[in-house]
Amino acid sequence: MNPNVNGFFPEEVVLRILARLPVKSLLRTKCVCKLWHKLICEKYFTRIYNQVSVKNPMVLFEVNESCSESKSSLICVDNLRGVSEISLDFIKDRVKVRASCNGLLCCSSIPDKGVYYVCNPMTREYKLLPRSRERHMSRFYPDGEAMLVGLACNLLTQQYNVVLAGNHRAFAHRAERTFICLIYDSVSGRWKKFVSVQDYQFTHMNKNQVVFVNEALHWLTETTPCLLVLELKKGNGMWKKIQLPNEVSCGAGKRIYLLELDGCLSLIQISEAWMVVWVMKNYGTEEWHIVDRVSLRCIRGMVPGVFPISQTGEYIFLATHKQILVYQRNTKEWKEMYSARNTSNLPLWFYAHSFRNTLFSCH
């Protein structure tokens, strides 16, 4: 690259600066000059931008503006840039977020059951997924929706999968152990189906905190000491289990949550006084290691209702009924990032997702 091509900085320096802008600001800079427009549109820049953004996970959640209206907005809490509001009005449908991965959201239509979208709220692109021909999908779980919804986005290949899974339930009958799974592939634009036998229970947080690492989606079950894993290699789904550390338990006032930490699986166990962070550094051998122990003394009154949402090696985002907190690992300080003023009875963590600011395209 010519170091004087723009008269001030080498192109590589300009790229690194632009890669640290929010997506909305970045798109506006295309109008500055032809050179910047050219640089931003290159695939090389997209890779750099996503590499930088993936290190800064945020929290995204829905806040109802009124109990009597269905109107809602998405709030994004960023440790670097603070709080901002995001609208999904470009979808032209009333939707709720079901899954988040590497800058994309999987949303389901509220008035039209069985309709799903994938969108990038920062670039305001969206894709309406084709309806599945699997009729039993409408008989999963209450409200006619899939019990598990997963989104797997590969930043390197710019390809993604949407997963809908749940127990088969014939009309007016209890759910069976037959577990139906549909996988949408962004390359083929089609759904694939496979059936297995599973008998797991999930809490709301278990379903929301699905983690995509090592080409697989991971869910924390409620009743068994293991992770339910869906491998997506080569587009073919296969279920398996990963055992939790022997020291981890959910009894006696302890709760566990599944998150990601720098591309690795991470478990967070919360008790009355401590938050212990585990990481699986070697996925092949499934070895868990404790990487952090955080005292909860400073937020003792909030502990029963606090839920970790996303984390990096520098900080942890947690949600309560009305607040978003951040714990800075280096300074061991707690800070309130957001406080809800609405009258909704639903806690913030009920609709909270980890989110990233990327240039991932859903088309």
PDB file of all heavy atoms in Angstrom, residues 22 44 61 67-68 73 83-84 93 101 112 132 144 155 161-162 257 274 290 301 313-314:
ATOM      1  N   PRO A  22     -18.620   3.064  15.156  1.00  0.00           N
ATOM      2  CA  PRO A  22     -19.904   2.342  15.105  1.00  0.00           C
ATOM      3  C   PRO A  22     -20.354   2.207  13.648  1.00  0.00           C
ATOM      4  O   PRO A  22     -19.958   3.018  12.793  1.00  0.00           O
ATOM      5  CB  PRO A  22     -20.856   3.245  15.900  1.00  0.00           C
ATOM      6  CG  PRO A  22     -19.979   4.145  16.696  1.00  0.00           C
ATOM      7  CD  PRO A  22     -18.718   4.319  15.916  1.00  0.00           C
ATOM      8  N   TYR A  44     -11.552  -7.036   2.625  1.00  0.00           N
ATOM      9  CA  TYR A  44     -10.462  -6.978   3.592  1.00  0.00           C
ATOM     10  C   TYR A  44     -10.842  -6.099   4.789  1.00  0.00           C
ATOM     11  O   TYR A  44     -10.580  -6.441   5.941  1.00  0.00           O
ATOM     12  CB  TYR A  44      -9.207  -6.438   2.911  1.00  0.00           C
ATOM     13  CG  TYR A  44      -8.028  -6.228   3.838  1.00  0.00           C
ATOM     14  CD1 TYR A  44      -7.395  -7.304   4.457  1.00  0.00           C
ATOM     15  CD2 TYR A  44      -7.556  -4.942   4.108  1.00  0.00           C
ATOM     16  CE1 TYR A  44      -6.312  -7.108   5.312  1.00  0.00           C
ATOM     17  CE2 TYR A  44      -6.480  -4.739   4.965  1.00  0.00           C
ATOM     18  CZ  TYR A  44      -5.861  -5.829   5.559  1.00  0.00           C
ATOM     19  OH  TYR A  44      -4.809  -5.641   6.416  1.00  0.00           O
ATOM     20  N   PHE A  61     -31.530  -5.514  24.472  1.00  0.00           N
ATOM     21  CA  PHE A  61     -32.782  -6.012  25.061  1.00  0.00           C
ATOM     22  C   PHE A  61     -33.940  -5.136  24.622  1.00  0.00           C
ATOM     23  O   PHE A  61     -33.779  -4.000  24.169  1.00  0.00           O
ATOM     24  CB  PHE A  61     -32.692  -6.047  26.595  1.00  0.00           C
ATOM     25  CG  PHE A  61     -32.369  -4.727  27.224  1.00  0.00           C
ATOM     26  CD1 PHE A  61     -33.360  -3.853  27.625  1.00  0.00           C
ATOM     27  CD2 PHE A  61     -31.046  -4.344  27.409  1.00  0.00           C
ATOM     28  CE1 PHE A  61     -33.061  -2.643  28.192  1.00  0.00           C
ATOM     29  CE2 PHE A  61     -30.731  -3.124  27.986  1.00  0.00           C
ATOM     30  CZ  PHE A  61     -31.751  -2.268  28.390  1.00  0.00           C
ATOM     31  N   CYS A  67     -47.594  -0.424  28.733  1.00  0.00           N
ATOM     32  CA  CYS A  67     -48.225  -1.720  29.000  1.00  0.00           C
ATOM     33  C   CYS A  67     -49.423  -1.940  28.102  1.00  0.00           C
ATOM     34  O   CYS A  67     -49.841  -3.069  27.864  1.00  0.00           O
ATOM     35  CB  CYS A  67     -48.659  -1.808  30.469  1.00  0.00           C
ATOM     36  SG  CYS A  67     -47.276  -1.847  31.619  1.00  0.00           S
ATOM     37  N   SER A  68     -50.018  -0.857  27.605  1.00  0.00           N
ATOM     38  CA  SER A  68     -51.240  -0.969  26.803  1.00  0.00           C
ATOM     39  C   SER A  68     -50.964  -1.048  25.314  1.00  0.00           C
ATOM     40  O   SER A  68     -51.858  -1.286  24.524  1.00  0.00           O
ATOM     41  CB  SER A  68     -52.151   0.239  27.073  1.00  0.00           C
ATOM     42  OG  SER A  68     -51.481   1.440  26.726  1.00  0.00           O
ATOM     43  N   SER A  73     -39.000  -0.821  21.725  1.00  0.00           N
ATOM     44  CA  SER A  73     -37.731  -0.412  21.139  1.00  0.00           C
ATOM     45  C   SER A  73     -36.630  -1.293  21.687  1.00  0.00           C
ATOM     46  O   SER A  73     -36.775  -1.904  22.743  1.00  0.00           O
ATOM     47  CB  SER A  73     -37.435   1.060  21.453  1.00  0.00           C
ATOM     48  OG  SER A  73     -37.354   1.251  22.850  1.00  0.00           O
ATOM     49  N   VAL A  83     -25.210   4.035  26.062  1.00  0.00           N
ATOM     50  CA  VAL A  83     -26.536   3.506  25.735  1.00  0.00           C
ATOM     51  C   VAL A  83     -27.063   4.150  24.458  1.00  0.00           C
ATOM     52  O   VAL A  83     -26.958   5.364  24.272  1.00  0.00           O
ATOM     53  CB  VAL A  83     -27.518   3.760  26.895  1.00  0.00           C
ATOM     54  CG1 VAL A  83     -28.901   3.221  26.558  1.00  0.00           C
ATOM     55  CG2 VAL A  83     -26.998   3.116  28.184  1.00  0.00           C
ATOM     56  N   SER A  84     -27.641   3.335  23.584  1.00  0.00           N
ATOM     57  CA  SER A  84     -28.270   3.844  22.363  1.00  0.00           C
ATOM     58  C   SER A  84     -29.534   3.051  22.083  1.00  0.00           C
ATOM     59  O   SER A  84     -29.723   1.950  22.612  1.00  0.00           O
ATOM     60  CB  SER A  84     -27.310   3.748  21.165  1.00  0.00           C
ATOM     61  OG  SER A  84     -26.912   2.396  20.947  1.00  0.00           O
ATOM     62  N   ASP A  93     -42.847  -5.376  10.388  1.00  0.00           N
ATOM     63  CA  ASP A  93     -43.616  -6.395  11.083  1.00  0.00           C
ATOM     64  C   ASP A  93     -43.337  -6.228  12.576  1.00  0.00           C
ATOM     65  O   ASP A  93     -42.282  -5.713  12.964  1.00  0.00           O
ATOM     66  CB  ASP A  93     -43.202  -7.796  10.608  1.00  0.00           C
ATOM     67  CG  ASP A  93     -44.153  -8.889  11.091  1.00  0.00           C
ATOM     68  OD1 ASP A  93     -45.138  -8.575  11.795  1.00  0.00           O
ATOM     69  OD2 ASP A  93     -43.904 -10.066  10.768  1.00  0.00           O
ATOM     70  N   CYS A 101     -26.283 -13.470  17.270  1.00  0.00           N
ATOM     71  CA  CYS A 101     -24.954 -14.041  17.050  1.00  0.00           C
ATOM     72  C   CYS A 101     -24.169 -13.162  16.091  1.00  0.00           C
ATOM     73  O   CYS A 101     -24.609 -12.913  14.960  1.00  0.00           O
ATOM     74  CB  CYS A 101     -25.069 -15.463  16.497  1.00  0.00           C
ATOM     75  SG  CYS A 101     -23.478 -16.296  16.264  1.00  0.00           S
ATOM     76  N   ASP A 112     -47.863 -13.325  13.251  1.00  0.00           N
ATOM     77  CA  ASP A 112     -47.891 -14.432  12.293  1.00  0.00           C
ATOM     78  C   ASP A 112     -46.943 -15.530  12.761  1.00  0.00           C
ATOM     79  O   ASP A 112     -45.739 -15.483  12.514  1.00  0.00           O
ATOM     80  CB  ASP A 112     -47.470 -13.926  10.904  1.00  0.00           C
ATOM     81  CG  ASP A 112     -47.873 -14.880   9.791  1.00  0.00           C
ATOM     82  OD1 ASP A 112     -48.419 -15.959  10.108  1.00  0.00           O
ATOM     83  OD2 ASP A 112     -47.643 -14.540   8.607  1.00  0.00           O
ATOM     84  N   SER A 132     -41.177 -23.155   6.701  1.00  0.00           N
ATOM     85  CA  SER A 132     -40.910 -24.587   6.670  1.00  0.00           C
ATOM     86  C   SER A 132     -42.198 -25.339   6.355  1.00  0.00           C
ATOM     87  O   SER A 132     -43.289 -24.924   6.741  1.00  0.00           O
ATOM     88  CB  SER A 132     -40.362 -25.042   8.029  1.00  0.00           C
ATOM     89  OG  SER A 132     -40.405 -26.440   8.127  1.00  0.00           O
ATOM     90  N   GLY A 144     -47.178 -21.673  19.920  1.00  0.00           N
ATOM     91  CA  GLY A 144     -46.916 -22.201  18.600  1.00  0.00           C
ATOM     92  C   GLY A 144     -45.538 -21.907  18.066  1.00  0.00           C
ATOM     93  O   GLY A 144     -45.344 -21.777  16.861  1.00  0.00           O
ATOM     94  N   LEU A 155     -18.157 -15.582  10.956  1.00  0.00           N
ATOM     95  CA  LEU A 155     -17.641 -14.307  10.464  1.00  0.00           C
ATOM     96  C   LEU A 155     -16.657 -14.472   9.309  1.00  0.00           C
ATOM     97  O   LEU A 155     -16.542 -13.587   8.461  1.00  0.00           O
ATOM     98  CB  LEU A 155     -16.958 -13.543  11.606  1.00  0.00           C
ATOM     99  CG  LEU A 155     -17.884 -12.915  12.653  1.00  0.00           C
ATOM    100  CD1 LEU A 155     -17.058 -12.328  13.788  1.00  0.00           C
ATOM    101  CD2 LEU A 155     -18.770 -11.857  12.029  1.00  0.00           C
ATOM    102  N   ASN A 161     -26.578 -20.111   9.947  1.00  0.00           N
ATOM    103  CA  ASN A 161     -27.635 -21.122  10.092  1.00  0.00           C
ATOM    104  C   ASN A 161     -28.626 -20.655  11.147  1.00  0.00           C
ATOM    105  O   ASN A 161     -28.243 -20.043  12.143  1.00  0.00           O
ATOM    106  CB  ASN A 161     -27.068 -22.478  10.522  1.00  0.00           C
ATOM    107  CG  ASN A 161     -26.117 -23.071   9.512  1.00  0.00           C
ATOM    108  OD1 ASN A 161     -24.913 -23.038   9.700  1.00  0.00           O
ATOM    109  ND2 ASN A 161     -26.655 -23.616   8.442  1.00  0.00           N
ATOM    110  N   VAL A 162     -29.891 -20.955  10.920  1.00  0.00           N
ATOM    111  CA  VAL A 162     -30.942 -20.754  11.917  1.00  0.00           C
ATOM    112  C   VAL A 162     -31.458 -22.120  12.320  1.00  0.00           C
ATOM    113  O   VAL A 162     -31.716 -22.974  11.466  1.00  0.00           O
ATOM    114  CB  VAL A 162     -32.098 -19.895  11.369  1.00  0.00           C
ATOM    115  CG1 VAL A 162     -33.227 -19.789  12.401  1.00  0.00           C
ATOM    116  CG2 VAL A 162     -31.587 -18.505  11.005  1.00  0.00           C
ATOM    117  N   TYR A 257     -24.949 -20.120  34.441  1.00  0.00           N
ATOM    118  CA  TYR A 257     -25.299 -19.504  33.168  1.00  0.00           C
ATOM    119  C   TYR A 257     -24.226 -19.825  32.143  1.00  0.00           C
ATOM    120  O   TYR A 257     -23.051 -19.997  32.483  1.00  0.00           O
ATOM    121  CB  TYR A 257     -25.433 -17.984  33.324  1.00  0.00           C
ATOM    122  CG  TYR A 257     -26.416 -17.594  34.386  1.00  0.00           C
ATOM    123  CD1 TYR A 257     -25.994 -17.390  35.704  1.00  0.00           C
ATOM    124  CD2 TYR A 257     -27.776 -17.462  34.103  1.00  0.00           C
ATOM    125  CE1 TYR A 257     -26.893 -17.051  36.697  1.00  0.00           C
ATOM    126  CE2 TYR A 257     -28.677 -17.124  35.095  1.00  0.00           C
ATOM    127  CZ  TYR A 257     -28.241 -16.921  36.386  1.00  0.00           C
ATOM    128  OH  TYR A 257     -29.131 -16.602  37.379  1.00  0.00           O
ATOM    129  N   TRP A 274     -20.506 -15.023  45.863  1.00  0.00           N
ATOM    130  CA  TRP A 274     -19.449 -15.096  44.851  1.00  0.00           C
ATOM    131  C   TRP A 274     -20.003 -15.364  43.457  1.00  0.00           C
ATOM    132  O   TRP A 274     -21.050 -15.994  43.299  1.00  0.00           O
ATOM    133  CB  TRP A 274     -18.444 -16.196  45.201  1.00  0.00           C
ATOM    134  CG  TRP A 274     -17.637 -15.902  46.427  1.00  0.00           C
ATOM    135  CD1 TRP A 274     -17.905 -16.316  47.691  1.00  0.00           C
ATOM    136  CD2 TRP A 274     -16.458 -15.099  46.510  1.00  0.00           C
ATOM    137  NE1 TRP A 274     -16.970 -15.833  48.568  1.00  0.00           N
ATOM    138  CE2 TRP A 274     -16.057 -15.081  47.869  1.00  0.00           C
ATOM    139  CE3 TRP A 274     -15.687 -14.397  45.580  1.00  0.00           C
ATOM    140  CZ2 TRP A 274     -14.932 -14.388  48.305  1.00  0.00           C
ATOM    141  CZ3 TRP A 274     -14.561 -13.713  46.014  1.00  0.00           C
ATOM    142  CH2 TRP A 274     -14.205 -13.716  47.360  1.00  0.00           C
ATOM    143  N   ILE A 290     -11.166 -22.623  36.147  1.00  0.00           N
ATOM    144  CA  ILE A 290     -11.640 -21.403  36.788  1.00  0.00           C
ATOM    145  C   ILE A 290     -10.699 -20.258  36.419  1.00  0.00           C
ATOM    146  O   ILE A 290      -9.486 -20.361  36.599  1.00  0.00           O
ATOM    147  CB  ILE A 290     -11.703 -21.555  38.320  1.00  0.00           C
ATOM    148  CG1 ILE A 290     -12.759 -22.598  38.710  1.00  0.00           C
ATOM    149  CG2 ILE A 290     -12.021 -20.212  38.983  1.00  0.00           C
ATOM    150  CD1 ILE A 290     -12.861 -22.827  40.209  1.00  0.00           C
ATOM    151  N   GLY A 301     -27.661  -6.921  47.746  1.00  0.00           N
ATOM    152  CA  GLY A 301     -29.120  -6.880  47.679  1.00  0.00           C
ATOM    153  C   GLY A 301     -29.679  -7.255  46.330  1.00  0.00           C
ATOM    154  O   GLY A 301     -30.855  -7.614  46.215  1.00  0.00           O
ATOM    155  N   GLY A 313     -12.610 -10.419  28.594  1.00  0.00           N
ATOM    156  CA  GLY A 313     -11.589 -10.543  29.622  1.00  0.00           C
ATOM    157  C   GLY A 313     -11.490  -9.308  30.493  1.00  0.00           C
ATOM    158  O   GLY A 313     -10.845  -9.340  31.547  1.00  0.00           O
ATOM    159  N   GLU A 314     -12.138  -8.204  30.077  1.00  0.00           N
ATOM    160  CA  GLU A 314     -12.062  -6.946  30.815  1.00  0.00           C
ATOM    161  C   GLU A 314     -13.304  -6.643  31.637  1.00  0.00           C
ATOM    162  O   GLU A 314     -13.225  -5.954  32.654  1.00  0.00           O
ATOM    163  CB  GLU A 314     -11.809  -5.786  29.845  1.00  0.00           C
ATOM    164  CG  GLU A 314     -10.491  -5.906  29.077  1.00  0.00           C
ATOM    165  CD  GLU A 314     -10.305  -4.764  28.096  1.00  0.00           C
ATOM    166  OE1 GLU A 314     -11.222  -3.918  27.998  1.00  0.00           O
ATOM    167  OE2 GLU A 314      -9.251  -4.727  27.437  1.00  0.00           O
TER     168      GLU A 314
END
